[in-house]
């Protein structure tokens, strides 16, 4: 449930006063001026309280937003074609950040990976699909991906043939590591674990869970 912030109680000083030296209907020289002065002071105080109240709520909103983006979720934009046909250049996604912090990364998840220094300058992140996790045995033979001795049914790929000449012999994914690939399995279609090796779990920054743009493809990711 979203937190609720109650606004401070408001009041207004109307500047009412009891006329001195006269009854309720008596005259008082300058009474109108005094009343206006009271209204003016009360009005300024009221405006100041309003401004401070707005500032308080704006600061709270900014802090909550920063915490949300840092620890919970954020928007990201896809660049390139390494994840086609699942994702396309320009797709805008929601990335949740809780799963990597809790170690909840599974086969089939689409994840963002921090790869600073492993690619050309300016490319710090990859978005790929997790194919194998710690302890899994993986091989790529005759265009098929084998996981723990069984051929994977990968209905999400761009082609039925996966290139991976270096993985004809079975490998075992290391401790706290993942083996990832792009869904674009054309030759040279994706820069992933086939050329860069396994990635540490600590380099995973988030899990793609939702595509909100383009609206024609709006929905959860699988």
């Amino acid at each position: 449930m979203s937190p609720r912030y109650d606004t401070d109680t408001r009041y207004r000083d109307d500047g009412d006063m009891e006329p001195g030296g006269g009854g309720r209907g008596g005259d008082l020289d300058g009474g109108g001026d005094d009343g206006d002065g009271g209204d003016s002071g009360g009005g300024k105080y009221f405006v100041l309280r309003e401004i401070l109240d707005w500032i308080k709520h704006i600061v709270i909103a900014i802090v909550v937003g920063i915490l949300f983006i840092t620890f919970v979720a954020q928007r990201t934009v896809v660049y390139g074609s390494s994840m086609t046909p699942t994702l396309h250049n320009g797709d805008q996604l929601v990335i949740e950040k809780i799963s990597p912090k809790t170690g909840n990364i599974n086969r089939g998840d689409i994840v963002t990976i921090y790869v600073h220094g492993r690619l050309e300058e300016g490319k710090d992140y990859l978005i790929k699909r997790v194919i194998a996790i710690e302890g899994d045995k993986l091989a790529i033979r005759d265009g098929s991906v084998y996981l723990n001795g069984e051929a994977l049914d990968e209905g999400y790929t761009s082609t039925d043939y996966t290139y991976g000449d270096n993985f004809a012999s079975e490998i075992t994914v290391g401790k706290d590591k993942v083996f990832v690939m792009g869904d674009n399995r054309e030759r040279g279609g994706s820069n992933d674990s086939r050329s860069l090796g396994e990635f540490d779990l600590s380099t995973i920054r988030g899990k793609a869970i939702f595509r909100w743009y383009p609206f024609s493809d709006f929905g959860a990711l699988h």
Side-chain angles (χ1 to χ4, degrees):
M1 178 179 295
S2 301
R4 176 182 176 183
Y5 302 101
D6 295 327
T7 57
D8 295 331
T9 301
R10 302 284 185 263
Y11 72 94
R12 178 177 176 180
D13 181 2
D14 289 328
D16 291 339
M17 61 184 295
E18 184 72 18
R24 182 173 297 272
D27 294 331
L28 180 68
D29 291 339
D33 292 339
D34 290 343
D36 289 342
D39 283 341
S40 176
K44 290 178 181 179
Y45 184 73
F46 176 78
V47 170
L48 179 60
R49 290 293 297 270
E50 281 289 317
I51 292 173
L52 292 175
D53 190 62
W54 274 103
I55 292 174
K56 179 183 72 174
H57 285 84
I58 290 172
V59 169
I60 291 172
I62 291 173
V63 171
V64 170
I66 292 173
L67 292 175
F68 186 86
I69 291 173
T70 302
F71 298 106
V72 181
Q74 73 177 78
R75 179 187 70 90
T76 193
V77 180
V78 176
Y79 293 100
S81 58
S82 70
M83 280 297 291
T84 57
T86 305
L87 303 175
H88 300 89
N89 186 58
D91 282 2
Q92 300 192 26
L93 316 176
V94 175
I95 305 295
E96 65 95 349
K97 297 183 175 184
I98 297 176
S99 293
K101 292 179 174 61
T102 59
N104 184 28
I105 299 297
N106 303 301
R107 304 180 195 95
D109 288 344
I110 299 174
V111 297
T112 57
I113 306 169
Y114 184 63
V115 293
H116 180 72
R118 299 183 68 171
L119 297 175
E120 58 266 36
E121 185 176 353
K123 291 190 175 181
D124 291 335
Y125 291 91
L126 295 175
I127 182 164
K128 305 294 177 184
R129 188 182 296 273
V130 176
I131 303 300
I133 59 177
E134 175 184 332
D136 282 342
K137 300 182 183 303
L138 178 138
I140 303 174
R141 294 191 296 266
D142 302 321
S144 295
V145 179
Y146 291 85
L147 188 65
N148 299 321
E150 298 185 4
L152 286 181
D153 180 12
E154 298 186 288
Y156 43 75
T157 60
S158 62
T159 175
D160 292 334
Y161 195 96
T162 297
Y163 292 92
D165 301 336
N166 296 332
F167 296 93
S169 298
E170 191 174 74
I171 66 165
T172 300
V173 179
K175 180 177 175 56
D176 295 327
K177 294 184 180 294
V178 293
F179 189 98
V180 302
M181 286 195 281
D183 289 352
N184 183 349
R185 300 295 171 80
E186 306 289 344
R187 186 179 289 277
S190 173
N191 204 3
D192 49 41
S193 288
R194 289 172 291 176
S195 57
L196 299 173
E198 301 167 17
F199 291 94
D200 292 335
L201 281 173
S202 61
T203 64
I204 296 179
R205 293 295 186 261
K207 182 192 298 187
I209 58 173
F210 200 86
R211 172 171 39 210
W212 67 272
Y213 186 85
F215 299 130
S216 57
D217 292 324
F218 184 90
L221 295 172
H222 303 286

